[in-house]
Amino acid sequence: MKTLIIALSLLLFSTAHAATAPGQPTQLETGLVNPGYQEKPEWFKESFLNLRDDIEEAKTANKRVILYFYQDGCPYCTKLLQDNFGNAEITEKTRQHFEVVSINMWGDREVTDLDGKTTNEKAFSAAQQVQYTPSLLFLDESGKVVLRVNGYYAPDKFKLALDFVAGKHDQAGSFRDYFAKLKAEGKVTTSSKEYTLPGSLAQPLRLQDARKDTGRPLMVLFAKPDECDSCAELYDDIFKREYLAYSLSGLDVAQADPDADTTIQTPDGKDMKLNEWAKSLEIKYSPSLVFFDTDGKEVFRTEAYFKAFHIHGALDYVATGAYRAQPEFQRYLQHRREVLAAHGFNVDLMK
């Protein structure tokens, strides 16, 4: 029972999507001040959320547009604003090359989308399949998404994302290709440490044959050891916590190096090179967790930096089948938060 209580308490996700006056912190039902509220930098664009106008104005200034999706109560949004945009180099680079337009994931402000249709912030966010905050969509001059960052990137990786789009390297290939090129030129720092997750499926991966009789969903952990700046925390801390081990036991787990050229069997039974499969899945962040149902269809993924409560929530979201009834992951976590708050549980969201 004690283990269950600890495990449940760490699912607390402090997002409050009630309307909030500008500059005022959201109050949780527990009476605590929203720990994730943060004022946006004054240099973010004061947009009327007519996205076609925003793109044209940015184009005239020889800039591109970043759509920044946020929510009050999001500690990763605070981390982005403080650690990334609090960095003078990142701020200068962003202001020089981009216009940043903020969109509240749960907001009701009117949005005119790229087709000229009128909607609101929360409907537009849903249409863009925003599951995490922060999420950033980097748009080119035509409004096409040339890079999507789902979740928080640490400053060094975030700088690379800015350089990729500002330099229009998207016209030559993917962000993953760009990163590989920089690595080959010795322009990015790498590590040689290997990581192993206990209970993982045997190599080479046979992701359909090995799971015929398990009845469990599959989690594939894509991680390139020499690119994985957050793998140490994930493997050496988060995955070693007892309540995470319980959640992992409800899944089949596989590890995959997205650059390996070994032949594997995909969850839907196709034989192909691992690196080709990773490319088809558009794996661009290490580590990425990609979840598949028992039929081999992808149902969910995480592809950014997350702490334990968010990783735990993702595992349970898939292992319990909750994604079938609730397609919005944030709503799922919000319900968990409300139930746990009613029981008096509180946690530090960033541990």
Side-chain angles (χ1 to χ4, degrees):
M1 178 61 73
K2 181 178 179 181
T3 299
L4 177 60
I5 291 173
I6 293 173
L8 286 173
S9 68
L10 284 180
L11 282 168
L12 177 60
F13 184 74
S14 175
T15 60
H17 47 259
T20 307
Q24 296 299 315
T26 304
Q27 298 290 320
L28 305 182
E29 288 82 352
T30 56
L32 298 177
V33 175
N34 182 332
Y37 182 82
Q38 183 76 16
E39 289 282 1
K40 314 301 181 297
E42 54 84 22
W43 50 267
F44 275 25
K45 182 171 185 178
E46 290 292 337
S47 172
F48 293 104
L49 299 186
N50 185 320
L51 301 185
R52 293 192 298 185
D53 287 350
D54 289 331
I55 289 170
E56 283 302 313
E57 291 169 10
K59 184 177 178 180
T60 299
N62 196 29
K63 297 182 179 182
R64 287 178 157 186
V65 169
I66 299 174
L67 300 183
Y68 162 58
F69 294 86
Y70 72 95
Q71 60 181 322
D72 293 341
C74 165
Y76 298 100
C77 298
T78 298
K79 194 169 180 64
L80 175 73
L81 297 177
Q82 291 181 347
D83 294 1
N84 295 35
F85 290 127
N87 178 300
E89 181 184 353
I90 288 177
T91 294
E92 180 181 358
K93 192 186 299 284
T94 306
R95 296 186 70 174
Q96 180 181 354
H97 297 288
F98 299 96
E99 295 284 4
V100 183
V101 176
S102 299
I103 297 176
N104 185 341
M105 183 180 182
W106 307 115
D108 293 314
R109 288 188 301 163
E110 184 176 284
V111 177
T112 302
D113 68 19
L114 297 173
D115 295 323
K117 297 178 181 177
T118 300
T119 181
N120 62 29
E121 290 173 291
K122 59 189 172 189
F124 180 70
S125 299
Q128 301 307 308
Q129 299 181 317
V130 174
Q131 292 276 22
Y132 304 104
T133 53
S135 282
L136 298 101
L137 304 189
F138 292 76
L139 310 181
D140 68 9
E141 293 75 11
S142 68
K144 176 185 175 183
V145 178
V146 295
L147 180 64
R148 182 182 184 112
V149 174
N150 295 320
Y152 175 75
Y153 276 19
D156 286 349
K157 192 71 173 282
F158 191 71
K159 287 178 190 176
L160 294 179
L162 294 175
D163 289 339
F164 172 72
V165 182
K168 301 185 180 179
H169 298 285
D170 54 277
Q171 296 173 358
S174 68
F175 181 56
R176 187 161 171 255
D177 295 334
Y178 175 70
F179 189 93
K181 180 175 181 292
L182 292 180
K183 187 177 68 170
E185 295 171 351
K187 295 180 180 179
V188 292
T189 303
T190 61
S191 167
S192 59
K193 183 174 180 179
E194 297 287 341
Y195 296 94
T196 302
L197 185 59
S200 298
L201 296 176
Q203 302 283 344
L205 297 174
R206 305 294 297 172
L207 296 178
Q208 184 181 74
D209 293 346
R211 303 173 52 247
K212 281 184 177 178
D213 301 317
T214 70
R216 291 184 291 268
L218 169 69
M219 180 189 84
V220 181
L221 197 168
F222 287 93
K224 183 68 178 169
D226 59 359
E227 296 176 9
C228 194
D229 52 2
S230 58
C231 277
E233 183 176 3
L234 183 66
Y235 280 90
D236 296 338
D237 177 12
I238 294 175
F239 280 150
K240 287 188 176 180
R241 302 187 190 191
E242 184 178 8
Y243 54 89
L244 262 297
Y246 277 113
S247 293
L248 285 168
S249 70
L251 300 160
D252 291 324
V253 177
Q255 293 183 265
D257 180 340
D259 287 344
D261 63 356
T262 53
T263 299
I264 59 124
Q265 181 191 60
T266 64
D268 57 355
K270 298 175 183 176
D271 288 329
M272 62 192 306
K273 297 290 187 180
L274 179 50
N275 53 7
E276 293 175 357
W277 185 46
K279 185 174 183 179
S280 72
L281 292 173
E282 299 183 353
I283 301 300
K284 59 181 180 290
Y285 184 85
S286 185
S288 288
L289 308 181
V290 185
F291 298 87
F292 300 85
D293 64 16
T294 52
D295 294 324
K297 178 183 177 182
E298 181 183 340
V299 295
F300 189 63
R301 69 168 65 186
T302 71
E303 46 187 355
Y305 173 78
F306 292 114
K307 292 287 191 176
F309 77 92
H310 212 136
I311 296 292
H312 191 189
L315 299 183
D316 284 349
Y317 183 58
V318 177
T320 64
Y323 68 89
R324 298 190 190 98
Q326 177 50 270
E328 293 182 341
F329 183 51
Q330 300 288 4
R331 296 286 190 190
Y332 167 78
L333 291 177
Q334 175 69 10
H335 172 69
R336 284 289 187 85
R337 182 197 62 76
E338 291 170 353
V339 171
L340 293 169
H343 284 276
F345 294 118
N346 252 320
V347 296
D348 183 334
L349 302 176
M350 299 304 288
K351 282 190 175 180

